[in-house]
Amino acid sequence: MMRYSVLLMMLCATAVQAAERQWRLEREEQGVSVYLADVPGSKYKAYRGVVTINGDLAAVQAAQEDIEGSCAWIFSCQQQRLLDTRGDVSELYTRFEMPWPVKARDSVIRVTTHTDADGGVTRLLEAVPDRLPEEKDFVRVQRVDGRWQLKPLADGKVEVTYEAHTEPGGSVPPWLANSFVVDAPLQTLQGLRAKVEGR
């Protein structure tokens, strides 16, 4: 219990740091707004995507909690599976496709879910790269700090915010890194919205 309390405090501190970032609007496309921010000490930018979905909170949660099925709308996702769930804490293993000649990535993410004061849901994301042995055909993502925030709106819709900062490990060309931080939130949120709205 103490371990999870400490983990939650650390993740809340990460969320506060993310809120203090200087976000700049990078792109607006098909109802999705993407913002980028510099992260001290990292050559990779943090990203934030925001979209409004026509559907209730339960429908959005259900789409996210279909672990294997959600790989169909998560950007570059090749495979995803649930490793463990204990209360509000889950661990996921995911494989990501990368364009040639960059080697494919995989990650192990700990997701901590809690209910917000406004009735919404926040899922905090943290990489736990040592949770599983590394796979020879994949580069393990070493760091992910992020969150999903699902905020119910008065008109029966849900505002979804997805933000993260990732250290992908290995060598990633600048053009690919710059593309990823825009395409990841843009295409992921477009995919989630399509799933929930039945498009």
Side-chain angles (χ1 to χ4, degrees):
M1 186 67 179
M2 178 64 71
R3 182 167 66 91
Y4 288 121
S5 297
V6 172
L7 172 63
L8 184 57
M9 287 188 292
M10 291 173 61
L11 291 174
C12 287
T14 298
V16 170
Q17 292 171 1
E20 294 174 348
R21 289 176 179 146
Q22 300 300 308
W23 296 103
R24 301 179 303 278
L25 181 63
E26 182 71 17
R27 186 187 299 179
E28 288 183 307
E29 185 176 315
Q30 298 180 8
V32 179
S33 299
V34 176
Y35 303 82
L36 301 181
D38 295 325
V39 177
S42 175
K43 61 182 179 180
Y44 302 106
K45 295 182 183 295
Y47 59 77
R48 170 188 280 177
V50 182
V51 70
T52 298
I53 295 178
N54 293 309
D56 59 22
L57 183 65
V60 179
Q61 286 182 275
Q64 290 190 325
E65 291 166 4
D66 175 11
I67 303 302
E68 294 184 7
S70 64
C71 196
W73 52 262
I74 294 173
F75 177 68
S76 289
C77 185
Q78 182 184 80
Q79 179 193 98
Q80 184 163 257
R81 68 177 188 268
L82 179 66
L83 298 176
D84 188 32
T85 298
R86 297 184 182 181
D88 295 332
V89 181
S90 298
E91 293 178 337
L92 315 177
Y93 174 76
T94 311
R95 290 177 173 178
F96 297 95
E97 299 173 333
M98 302 294 282
W100 185 89
V102 179
K103 197 171 184 179
R105 262 57 180 173
D106 67 357
S107 67
V108 183
I109 303 295
R110 180 173 291 140
V111 183
T112 303
T113 302
H114 62 82
T115 302
D116 302 329
D118 63 1
V121 171
T122 296
R123 304 185 194 274
L124 301 174
L125 314 176
E126 179 198 23
V128 281
D130 297 331
R131 170 67 169 76
L132 290 178
E134 293 189 14
E135 302 278 349
K136 67 176 183 177
D137 294 327
F138 295 84
V139 174
R140 179 65 46 84
V141 174
Q142 293 300 307
R143 178 181 174 186
V144 176
D145 298 306
R147 69 182 178 115
W148 284 92
Q149 187 171 36
L150 315 179
K151 180 179 180 181
L153 303 178
D155 56 2
K157 301 178 181 180
V158 180
E159 181 184 78
V160 179
T161 300
Y162 169 44
E163 65 182 49
H165 173 244
T166 301
E167 294 288 345
S171 177
V172 178
W175 65 266
L176 179 57
N178 292 334
S179 173
F180 183 88
V181 294
V182 175
D183 291 342
L186 180 67
Q187 295 189 30
T188 296
L189 289 176
Q190 288 175 343
L192 174 60
R193 181 180 60 193
K195 174 67 176 179
V196 173
E197 295 181 357
R199 297 184 185 181

